[in-house]
Amino acid sequence: MRRDGILKLLGERFTDVSEEYMSSLTTWRTGGPAVVITAGTSDKLAGILDLTFEEGVPWFVLGQGSNVLAADSGCSELIIRLGGELSSHTWSSEGALWELSCGGGAHLPSMSGAACTRGAAGLEFAVGIPGTVGGAIFMNAGAYGSSVSRTVSSVKVLDRRGSVRIIPGEECGFDYRRSMFQDERLIIASAVMRLGSGDPEDLRSEARRILELRRERFPLEYPNAGSVFRKPADDIPPGRLIEGAGLKGRTVGGAMVSRKHANFIINTGSATSDDIRKLIDVVRKTVLDFSGIMLEEEIRYLGGRK
Ligand SMILES: Cc1cc2nc3c(=O)[nH]c(=O)nc-3n(C[C@H](O)[C@H](O)[C@H](O)COP(=O)(O)OP(=O)(O)OC[C@H]3O[C@@H](n4cnc5c(N)ncnc54)[C@H](O)[C@@H]3O)c2cc1C
């Protein structure tokens, strides 16, 4: 179905359907037009999924777009975002354990900050990861020796027909930057995270230390999507391979391999998604020729790889 067909079909049933540029919804600031709808409740999300299933409309659930390269030509998928109740959160505690129940659309750094302020320990590592809770669970986002998988107690998902399932954390198939959600068409509507307890001042100071480190190491002054490539093995950082292949500063159009951190590709101002994709191909090929290692992307493609 074409974009105007999706816009009309969804517009007849729901308000707040709009056409937007993916460049305004992704941290790389690239990508063409897409039809976007926001679900604020599980019921609305189920209604959207029921309609898309019946009418055969493909969809893509988008968090903060901090790990996504969206095609310049635009997207034939309906973009589903989570807001309202599905981005809110509540706290409860029992003894030394904290429970954070939050929507899949909740902002991960805000959850991390709120946890530190309360004295809930275990999310400090996430303070500088600019995604949503749903995106972080999908990616099993992590940093500084920890990852979201360590905190997830259970996840509430909706399947492609809008039916609800609760999946315990230990059944989420978590591994390095992997989860079962990468293989199954499920939307993470909410999650329960279990956190320990700590001194709020210590937790805040650890979060500040992490933010400081990230500011020093990462090219945060330019639009980027974090690490582009996955680690090929535990002890092989892709940045070192890319730097070793002499690629720091390499450009295609407005896209550049960061001179500050070689596993980041930055948008120097005028990059298109196509520039970034071509640069990714240059990096993969050069690293393969140089070291014999084929790098695999961590980032997700939207609207096709071309
Ligand atoms: C400056 C910067 C620093 C970063 N640092 C780190 C880091 O230290 N560690 C790290 O792991 N990552 C890092 N990232 C990458 C990124 O922030 C994480 O992968 C993050 O978890 C993605 O969340 P998101 O909401 O932006 O997801 P998106 O980028 O919007 O989507 C990513 C994938 O998740 C899926 N998804 C999103 N929401 C849901 C949902 N509710 N249900 C099901 N699927 C969903 C999408 O369909 C897509 O396939 C960084 C990115 C940037 C820009």
Side-chain angles (χ1 to χ4, degrees), residues 124-167:
E124 307 83 84
F125 76 91
V127 68
I129 303 180
T132 57
V133 167
I137 292 174
F138 179 97
M139 295 301 305
N140 189 17
Y144 303 102
S146 196
S147 64
V148 162
S149 56
R150 291 204 185 168
T151 66
V152 173
S153 168
S154 66
V155 177
K156 176 180 159 185
V157 297
L158 273 72
D159 68 14
R160 60 177 82 195
R161 300 219 62 164
S163 306
V164 174
R165 267 164 66 190
I166 306 289
I167 303 175

Coordinates of all heavy atoms in Angstrom, one line a residue, residues 124-167:
E124 N 22.2 3.1 36.4 CA 23.1 4.2 36.2 C 23.8 4.2 34.8 O 24.0 5.2 34.1 CB 24.2 4.2 37.2 CG 23.8 4.2 38.7 CD 23.5 2.7 39.1 OE1 24.4 2.0 39.5 OE2 22.3 2.4 39.1
F125 N 24.1 2.9 34.3 CA 24.8 2.8 33.0 C 24.0 3.4 31.9 O 24.5 3.7 30.8 CB 25.0 1.3 32.7 CG 23.7 0.6 32.3 CD1 23.5 0.5 30.9 CD2 22.8 0.0 33.2 CE1 22.3 -0.2 30.5 CE2 21.7 -0.6 32.8 CZ 21.4 -0.7 31.4
A126 N 22.6 3.5 32.1 CA 21.8 3.9 30.9 C 21.6 5.4 30.8 O 20.9 5.9 30.0 CB 20.4 3.2 31.1
V127 N 22.3 6.2 31.7 CA 22.0 7.6 31.8 C 22.3 8.4 30.5 O 21.6 9.3 30.2 CB 22.8 8.2 33.0 CG1 24.3 8.2 32.7 CG2 22.3 9.6 33.3
G128 N 23.2 7.8 29.7 CA 23.5 8.5 28.4 C 23.1 7.8 27.2 O 23.5 8.1 26.1
I129 N 22.2 6.8 27.3 CA 21.7 6.1 26.1 C 20.3 6.7 25.7 O 19.3 6.5 26.4 CB 21.5 4.6 26.5 CG1 22.9 4.0 26.9 CG2 21.0 3.8 25.2 CD1 22.9 2.5 27.3
P130 N 20.3 7.4 24.6 CA 19.2 8.3 24.3 C 18.0 7.6 23.7 O 17.5 8.1 22.7 CB 19.8 9.4 23.4 CG 20.9 8.6 22.7 CD 21.4 7.6 23.6
G131 N 17.6 6.5 24.2 CA 16.5 5.8 23.6 C 15.3 5.7 24.5 O 15.2 6.3 25.6
T132 N 14.3 4.8 24.1 CA 13.2 4.5 25.0 C 13.4 3.2 25.7 O 14.3 2.4 25.3 CB 11.9 4.4 24.1 OG1 12.1 3.3 23.1 CG2 11.5 5.7 23.4
V133 N 12.6 2.9 26.6 CA 12.7 1.6 27.3 C 12.4 0.5 26.3 O 13.1 -0.5 26.3 CB 11.7 1.6 28.5 CG1 11.5 0.2 29.1 CG2 12.2 2.5 29.6
G134 N 11.4 0.6 25.4 CA 11.1 -0.4 24.5 C 12.3 -0.6 23.5 O 12.7 -1.8 23.2
G135 N 12.9 0.5 23.0 CA 14.0 0.3 22.1 C 15.2 -0.3 22.8 O 15.9 -1.1 22.2
A136 N 15.4 0.0 24.1 CA 16.5 -0.5 24.8 C 16.3 -2.0 25.1 O 17.3 -2.8 25.1 CB 16.7 0.2 26.2
I137 N 15.1 -2.4 25.3 CA 14.9 -3.9 25.6 C 15.0 -4.6 24.2 O 15.7 -5.7 24.2 CB 13.5 -4.1 26.2 CG1 13.4 -3.5 27.6 CG2 13.1 -5.6 26.2 CD1 12.1 -3.5 28.3
F138 N 14.5 -4.0 23.2 CA 14.6 -4.7 21.8 C 16.1 -4.9 21.5 O 16.5 -5.9 21.0 CB 14.0 -3.7 20.8 CG 14.1 -4.2 19.4 CD1 13.0 -4.9 18.8 CD2 15.2 -4.0 18.6 CE1 13.1 -5.4 17.5 CE2 15.3 -4.4 17.3 CZ 14.2 -5.1 16.7
M139 N 16.9 -3.8 21.8 CA 18.4 -3.9 21.4 C 19.2 -4.5 22.5 O 20.4 -4.8 22.3 CB 18.9 -2.5 21.2 CG 18.3 -1.7 20.1 SD 18.5 -2.4 18.5 CE 20.3 -2.7 18.4
N140 N 18.6 -4.8 23.7 CA 19.4 -5.1 24.9 C 20.5 -4.1 25.0 O 21.7 -4.5 25.0 CB 19.9 -6.5 24.9 CG 20.5 -6.9 26.3 OD1 20.3 -6.1 27.3 ND2 21.3 -7.9 26.4
A141 N 20.2 -2.8 25.1 CA 21.2 -1.8 25.2 C 22.0 -1.9 26.4 O 21.5 -2.4 27.5 CB 20.4 -0.4 25.2
G142 N 23.3 -1.5 26.3 CA 24.1 -1.7 27.5 C 25.3 -0.8 27.4 O 25.6 -0.2 26.3
A143 N 26.0 -0.6 28.5 CA 27.3 0.2 28.5 C 28.0 -0.1 29.8 O 27.3 -0.5 30.8 CB 26.9 1.7 28.4
Y144 N 29.3 0.1 29.8 CA 30.0 0.0 31.1 C 29.8 -1.3 31.9 O 29.5 -1.3 33.1 CB 29.8 1.3 31.9 CG 30.2 2.5 31.1 CD1 29.2 3.3 30.6 CD2 31.5 2.8 30.9 CE1 29.5 4.4 29.8 CE2 31.8 3.9 30.1 CZ 30.8 4.7 29.6 OH 31.1 5.8 28.7
G145 N 29.7 -2.4 31.1 CA 29.6 -3.7 31.7 C 28.2 -4.1 32.2 O 28.1 -5.1 32.8
S146 N 27.2 -3.3 31.9 CA 25.9 -3.7 32.3 C 25.0 -3.6 31.1 O 25.4 -3.0 30.0 CB 25.4 -2.8 33.4 OG 24.2 -3.4 34.0
S147 N 23.8 -4.1 31.2 CA 22.8 -4.0 30.1 C 21.4 -4.1 30.7 O 21.2 -4.5 31.8 CB 23.0 -5.1 29.1 OG 22.8 -6.3 29.7
V148 N 20.4 -3.7 29.8 CA 19.0 -3.6 30.3 C 18.6 -5.0 30.7 O 17.7 -5.1 31.6 CB 18.2 -3.1 29.1 CG1 16.7 -3.4 29.2 CG2 18.4 -1.6 28.9
S149 N 19.1 -6.0 30.1 CA 18.6 -7.4 30.4 C 18.7 -7.7 31.9 O 18.0 -8.5 32.4 CB 19.5 -8.4 29.6 OG 20.8 -8.2 29.9
R150 N 19.7 -7.1 32.6 CA 19.9 -7.4 34.0 C 18.8 -6.8 34.9 O 18.7 -7.2 36.0 CB 21.2 -6.7 34.5 CG 22.4 -7.3 33.9 CD 23.6 -7.0 34.8 NE 24.8 -7.5 34.2 CZ 26.0 -7.2 34.6 NH1 26.2 -6.4 35.6 NH2 27.1 -7.6 34.0
T151 N 18.0 -5.9 34.3 CA 17.0 -5.2 35.2 C 15.6 -5.7 34.8 O 14.7 -5.5 35.6 CB 17.0 -3.7 34.9 OG1 16.6 -3.4 33.6 CG2 18.4 -3.1 35.2
V152 N 15.4 -6.4 33.7 CA 14.0 -6.6 33.2 C 13.4 -7.8 34.0 O 14.0 -8.9 33.9 CB 14.0 -6.9 31.7 CG1 12.6 -7.4 31.2 CG2 14.4 -5.7 30.9
S153 N 12.3 -7.6 34.6 CA 11.6 -8.6 35.3 C 10.6 -9.3 34.4 O 10.4 -10.5 34.4 CB 11.0 -8.0 36.6 OG 10.1 -8.9 37.2
S154 N 9.8 -8.4 33.7 CA 8.8 -8.9 32.7 C 8.5 -7.9 31.7 O 8.7 -6.7 32.0 CB 7.6 -9.4 33.4 OG 6.9 -8.3 34.0
V155 N 8.0 -8.3 30.6 CA 7.7 -7.4 29.5 C 6.3 -7.7 29.0 O 5.9 -8.9 28.8 CB 8.7 -7.6 28.3 CG1 8.3 -6.7 27.1 CG2 10.1 -7.3 28.8
K156 N 5.5 -6.6 28.8 CA 4.1 -6.8 28.3 C 4.2 -6.5 26.8 O 4.6 -5.4 26.4 CB 3.1 -5.9 29.0 CG 1.8 -5.9 28.4 CD 0.8 -5.0 29.2 CE -0.4 -4.6 28.4 NZ -1.2 -3.6 29.0
V157 N 3.8 -7.4 25.9 CA 3.9 -7.2 24.5 C 2.5 -7.3 23.8 O 1.7 -8.0 24.4 CB 4.9 -8.1 23.8 CG1 6.3 -7.9 24.3 CG2 4.5 -9.6 24.0
L158 N 2.4 -6.7 22.7 CA 1.2 -6.9 21.8 C 1.7 -7.6 20.5 O 2.8 -7.1 20.0 CB 0.5 -5.6 21.5 CG -0.6 -5.2 22.5 CD1 0.1 -4.7 23.8 CD2 -1.5 -4.1 22.0
D159 N 1.1 -8.6 20.1 CA 1.5 -9.2 18.8 C 0.8 -8.6 17.6 O 0.1 -7.6 17.8 CB 1.3 -10.8 18.9 CG -0.2 -11.1 18.9 OD1 -1.0 -10.3 18.5 OD2 -0.5 -12.3 19.2
R160 N 1.1 -9.1 16.4 CA 0.6 -8.4 15.2 C -0.9 -8.3 15.1 O -1.4 -7.5 14.4 CB 1.2 -9.0 14.0 CG 0.9 -10.4 13.8 CD 1.5 -10.9 12.5 NE 2.9 -11.3 12.6 CZ 3.7 -11.5 11.6 NH1 3.3 -11.2 10.4 NH2 4.9 -11.8 11.8
R161 N -1.6 -9.1 15.9 CA -3.1 -9.0 15.9 C -3.6 -8.2 17.1 O -4.8 -8.0 17.3 CB -3.7 -10.4 16.0 CG -3.4 -11.3 14.9 CD -4.5 -12.2 14.5 NE -5.7 -11.4 14.0 CZ -6.6 -11.9 13.3 NH1 -6.7 -13.2 13.0 NH2 -7.6 -11.2 12.9
G162 N -2.7 -7.7 17.9 CA -3.1 -6.9 19.0 C -3.3 -7.7 20.3 O -3.8 -7.1 21.3
S163 N -3.0 -9.0 20.3 CA -3.2 -9.8 21.5 C -2.0 -9.5 22.5 O -0.9 -9.4 22.1 CB -3.3 -11.3 21.2 OG -4.3 -11.5 20.3
V164 N -2.4 -9.5 23.8 CA -1.4 -9.2 24.8 C -0.7 -10.5 25.4 O -1.4 -11.5 25.6 CB -2.1 -8.4 26.0 CG1 -1.1 -8.2 27.1 CG2 -2.7 -7.1 25.5
R165 N 0.6 -10.4 25.6 CA 1.3 -11.5 26.3 C 2.2 -10.9 27.3 O 2.8 -9.8 27.1 CB 2.2 -12.2 25.3 CG 1.6 -13.4 24.7 CD 2.3 -13.8 23.4 NE 3.7 -14.3 23.7 CZ 4.6 -14.5 22.8 NH1 4.3 -14.3 21.5 NH2 5.8 -15.0 23.1
I166 N 2.4 -11.6 28.4 CA 3.5 -11.1 29.4 C 4.6 -12.1 29.3 O 4.4 -13.3 29.4 CB 2.9 -11.2 30.8 CG1 1.6 -10.4 31.0 CG2 4.0 -10.7 31.8 CD1 1.8 -8.9 30.9
I167 N 5.8 -11.6 29.1 CA 7.0 -12.5 28.9 C 8.0 -12.2 30.0 O 8.4 -11.1 30.2 CB 7.7 -12.2 27.5 CG1 6.7 -12.3 26.4 CG2 8.9 -13.1 27.4 CD1 7.3 -12.0 25.0

